[in-house]
Amino acid sequence: MKLTKYSHSCVRFEQDGAVLVVDPGTFSEVEEALQGATAVLITHEHPDHIALDRVVAVLQADQGIELWAPQPAADAVVAALGEGSEERVHAVGGGEEFTAAGVPVRTYGGQHALIHPVIPMIANVGYLIGGSVYHPGDSLIVPDGIGVQTLLVPVHAPWSKLSEVVDFVTSVRAARAYQIHDGLLNEAGLGTVEGQVTRLGAPYGTEFRHLDVRESVEV
């Protein structure tokens, strides 16, 4: 598959003419990422992971696109699309398997990472795509029972700290890793965090590399 990084947590996958997009949120290039898409995966309902109005507009323009998301996000999309959209908007939780854009997908987790005790928890699912690429959304859930080849690492968030990010990388032990959830960092901060992830992940067999916006790699 070809993986293309867009801003923040938005990632596009292309294989055999099919296109799957994960988390086209408000910080990302939503319409560009979704061009030609046949499937959309949403990890959770926060706007930086689903730009609801813009995603709905694309789904209204192309009736062939299917979407998977945790129940609250799926409900919001169905409410915006209207009657009949339930057939192509699918609610998912952790521990499920399905096929999207011809690609096998497994889900992990089920809960967003804790931001603060007074902020209510919401649903979040991580997606293992094509049996090898893991996008955890806003969580640091380590997938069980599989060997991840490509890890998408949330390098910075209001709910995380560097030691937790490094522990996540060293626990998953993927052969390669690329950054996501980087939209709140300036160049200096991103360099600092990525430098530590690179250095501390290497002894555990993980090669970390930064991807620029719109940069593509084969996975």
Side-chain angles (χ1 to χ4, degrees), residues 138-173:
D138 276 11
S139 77
L140 299 175
I141 295 294
V142 176
D144 62 292
I146 53 98
V148 174
Q149 296 302 307
T150 301
L151 178 62
L152 302 175
V153 184
V155 291
H156 174 76
W159 45 265
S160 73
K161 59 183 180 180
L162 178 59
S163 64
E164 296 171 336
V165 173
V166 171
D167 286 348
F168 175 62
V169 172
T170 60
S171 296
V172 177
R173 300 195 180 201

Side-chain angles (χ1 to χ4, degrees), residues 80-195:
L81 282 174
E83 185 177 352
S85 59
E86 298 91 342
E87 296 182 1
R88 61 189 183 116
V89 178
H90 314 283
V92 293
E96 299 186 29
E97 298 185 15
F98 56 90
T99 299
V103 178
V105 179
R106 290 178 64 181
T107 61
Y108 291 89
Q111 183 173 284
H112 191 287
L114 178 68
I115 301 172
H116 189 276
V118 302
I119 299 176
M121 300 293 288
I122 63 168
N124 177 95
V125 294
Y127 295 103
L128 180 72
I129 299 162
S132 64
V133 183
Y134 183 51
H135 190 308
D138 276 11
S139 77
L140 299 175
I141 295 294
V142 176
D144 62 292
I146 53 98
V148 174
Q149 296 302 307
T150 301
L151 178 62
L152 302 175
V153 184
V155 291
H156 174 76
W159 45 265
S160 73
K161 59 183 180 180
L162 178 59
S163 64
E164 296 171 336
V165 173
V166 171
D167 286 348
F168 175 62
V169 172
T170 60
S171 296
V172 177
R173 300 195 180 201
R176 59 197 166 201
Y178 306 107
Q179 93 285 358
I180 57 171
H181 218 279
D182 51 357
L184 298 179
L185 287 173
N186 61 21
E187 185 176 346
L190 186 59
T192 298
V193 172
E194 290 187 339

